[in-house]
Every structure is written in C-alpha cells, then in structure tokens.
Amino acid sequence: MKKILFIVGSLRKESFNRQLAQEAEKYLAGNADVAYLDYTDVPFINQDIEYPAPAAVAQLRETVSQTDGIWIFTPEYNFSYPGHLKNLLDWLSRPVVAYDFATPTVINGKKVALSGAGGQMATGKCREKLVELLTFIKADVMTEPQTGVILNTEAWTEGCMILTDEQRAALKAQAEAFVKFLQ
Ligand SMILES: Cc1cc2nc3c(=O)[nH]c(=O)nc-3n(C[C@H](O)[C@H](O)[C@H](O)COP(=O)(O)O)c2cc1C
C-alpha cells in the first residue's frame, strides 16, 4: 500500500484545512496509508544551525523520505502560502550533507498533491505559487486535479466546514487521481 503524508498548512486547532484533509482521508481508505505531519517543533531555517540538522529537521527528512507522496492542504495567506509552510519546504530543499549539491534532496522527485480551503480565490493564488516553488525544488507536482474550496458563511459562524456534494466529488476524484499518480 502506498504511503501518503498529509501536510496541513494551518496551525489553527479547528483548521478548515485540517477538516478538508480528514475528508480526503476517507477517500483514500483502502488505497493508501495516511499519516499527518506534525511540524510544530521544526525551527525557522537559519544557516547557523543548518549542519548538523536539528533533531526535528532530521526527523522531518526521515518521514518525508519514507513516504511515497505528500498531499498539502493549506490556507492562503495574502495571495500566497503561509510562512511556516515555506519554512518547511525550505528545510526540505537543502542538501542533507553540507555542500553536497549532487545528491538528491528528500523532496527531489517526491510526488505532491495540492488542495486548500479559503476565501473567494479558493486558495488558487496560494496553490499557483506552491506549484512554482515545488517545481523549483524539484518535487513532482500533480498539477491537475487540485481541489479549492471557497468557505461559506456557515463555516465562519459555526467553525465547521460543510462541503457540498460537488466539493466532495472533486476531493474524491483528486484522491483517486493521486493514487494513480503514485503508481
Ligand atoms: C495573514 C493572513 C492572511 C490571509 N490572507 C488570505 C488570502 O489572501 N486569501 C484568503 O482566501 N484568505 C486569507 N486569509 C484567511 C485564511 O486563509 C482563512 O482564514 C482560512 O480559512 C484559514 O484556514 P484554516 O481554517 O485552515 O486555518 C488570511 C489569513 C491570515 C491569517
């Protein structure tokens, strides 16, 4: 069974993007093993502490190297990705051994799917920029399909995201496409 690592780009406890990930998890059941990345202890990247890698970064790289694919569920912050998500990808983009630019990084060739729940752009601007970033760091992005959810008023007032049938179908189709993409 393929292993998929879910990265939720929100640190908020009741995150809508975490709720979206939990919904996607249902559509992968029986076809892939899902794990959620806990990256709360990954420090801000700083070349003074880059080598040897801090324990949380070494663990992060180990987790990523052991997975077949990564599925990112993220909010959009100011038409882009959240800073902590960028920080994570910055760490993954660096060589494991100092100055060894010949050996592939752990993100190199890693298959990635993208989804997000947010405002009127349905996180489209964020995902567009993530494709650019992930391509630059040599990940293998599944550019289509992606799932973008525009949060409705109830989500904000109730704190709970209720997806439409159409949005559920889009997520299910993306889950199926990603499992194929991982073959
Ligand atoms: C710093 C900041 C910038 C934001 N900028 C955007 C934005 O550009 N587009 C958008 O749709 N929502 C924006 N938002 C709103 C969040 O994306 C929205 O609250 C999202 O649903 C939060 O997702 P979560 O529930 O998973 O944390 C911004 C929120 C913050 C904190």
Side-chain angles (χ1 to χ4, degrees), residues 10 12 15-17 75-79 117-120 151 156:
S10 169
R12 210 166 69 80
S15 163
F16 298 124
N17 282 281
E76 179 172 280
Y77 283 1
N78 294 317
F79 263 35
Q120 286 310 308
L151 292 161
W156 299 110

Side-chain angles (χ1 to χ4, degrees), residues 116-127:
Q120 286 310 308
M121 297 298 291
T123 72
K125 284 288 165 192
C126 166
R127 285 179 285 111

